[in-house]
Amino acid sequence: MQDALVQLLSMFEVAFTARQRKNYLFYCLLYLFKNAKPWQTFPKTYCRFLEGLATKYFKDVYLVKECLNEINTPLPRSFDAQILKQGDVNIIIGNRKAVDNFDNIYGDGTALSKGIPLFVFNYLDYRLWKEYLSVKGSKEGAADRQKLFDKFGCCDFGLEIFKQFYFSRTRRSLEHFFPQADINKPPVNLTESQINCFGNYGMIGADANSSGSNYAPKVKLDHYLDTLSGKIKLVAVASLKFMIMLQACKDNIGKRESCAEWNWDDIVTHQKKMKEFLK
């Protein structure tokens, strides 16, 4: 429970670093003032509130067109309008079919995306990390662990990455896994809209992005691969979504011609898999 509280509060903090965007902090303080409980039950109820608040942000702000501007950034007062009700914090979801709006707002590769906010990627990373909790004690090859990685859409790359995962202020750069520099470069031909869709983005530290943003997916994989173990190295500055993309690319080595380890079909499949966690 303590780990989940740390992850949730860290997720909000790294997504909203600007002082004028720290609405979440006010909502948390308001909740704490109005819901003092015995310490024995408090961590569980507070964690439930924080998770509900994160879901409220995602579904009732980031998946409502009327709450977003022309580059999909929340409009002023959009959080307060959705969350503050009669002087209290409301985390009941109003937009019940929210995830059905995802492609309409952020694109599916058929039209150029207007932008995808970092909160969407941070929220997804929390959902992926939470899924790990159900198998954290499982041995490699265990049925429940295999089922989870099947849901991720890749082979088992170990649990250490999830165990050591944390939200970082330095992880604020969106990287195209299939790079813009290789657009329309054989054997993979992608359009600008396809390259800029959710399924081809991974969140990573700015330094790592600037040093390798133009690398092909297979080259990025080689950069992060431990040649001795054959496993993907722990990349502290990378998001869990990015680590899954790396493994999915690795899974295709030897099954396809060189430089075609990550293509449009992979992007579509990955986007569908990740959207399932956002539901």
Side-chain angles (χ1 to χ4, degrees), residues 28 45 77 106 116 169 176 204 207:
C28 290
T45 56
R77 296 194 56 79
Y106 299 115
I116 308 174
R169 285 179 177 271
H176 299 87
I204 197 165
D207 290 344

Side-chain angles (χ1 to χ4, degrees), residues 173-177 200-204 208-209 212-213 220 242:
S173 181
L174 290 181
E175 175 172 326
H176 299 87
F177 193 41
N200 191 48
Y201 274 124
M203 196 162 54
I204 197 165
N209 190 349
S213 60
K220 290 176 184 175
F242 186 72

Side-chain angles (χ1 to χ4, degrees), residues 42-56:
F42 175 74
K44 192 171 185 178
T45 56
Y46 187 40
C47 189
R48 240 188 339 250
F49 164 76
L50 286 171
E51 189 164 298
L53 182 63
T55 304
K56 180 77 172 177

Side-chain angles (χ1 to χ4, degrees), residues 16 28 67 93 114 128 144 150 208 245 255 257 271:
F16 304 103
C28 290
C67 292
I93 305 302
K114 296 187 297 181
L128 295 172
D144 58 343
D150 287 344
M245 294 165 78
K255 299 176 183 177
E257 61 180 305
Q271 179 152 319

Side-chain angles (χ1 to χ4, degrees), residues 118 121-122 125 168-177 201-213 220 223-224 235-243 246:
L118 291 180
F121 291 92
N122 281 310
D125 269 356
S168 169
R169 285 179 177 271
T170 65
R171 192 189 302 122
R172 299 188 58 81
S173 181
L174 290 181
E175 175 172 326
H176 299 87
F177 193 41
Y201 274 124
M203 196 162 54
I204 197 165
D207 290 344
N209 190 349
S210 62
S211 65
S213 60
K220 290 176 184 175
H223 182 68
Y224 291 123
V235 186
V237 294
S239 67
L240 294 176
K241 180 183 187 297
F242 186 72
M243 302 304 290
L246 284 172

Side-chain angles (χ1 to χ4, degrees), residues 1 6 10 16 19 31 34 39 64 71 105 107 141 145-147 153 157 179 182 185 189 191 212 217 223 232 259 278:
M1 190 60 60
V6 170
S10 299
F16 304 103
R19 187 177 300 174
Y31 172 83
K34 293 200 169 200
W39 176 249
V64 177
I71 57 171
I105 295 174
R145 184 162 152 176
Q146 183 59 53
K147 185 177 179 180
F157 54 80
D182 284 356
K185 182 179 179 181
N189 296 307
T191 67
H223 182 68
I232 297 170
C259 299
L278 292 175

Side-chain angles (χ1 to χ4, degrees), residues 27-41:
Y27 305 144
C28 290
L29 290 172
L30 183 58
Y31 172 83
L32 293 173
F33 279 126
K34 293 200 169 200
N35 294 275
K37 293 180 181 291
W39 176 249
Q40 290 82 353
T41 60

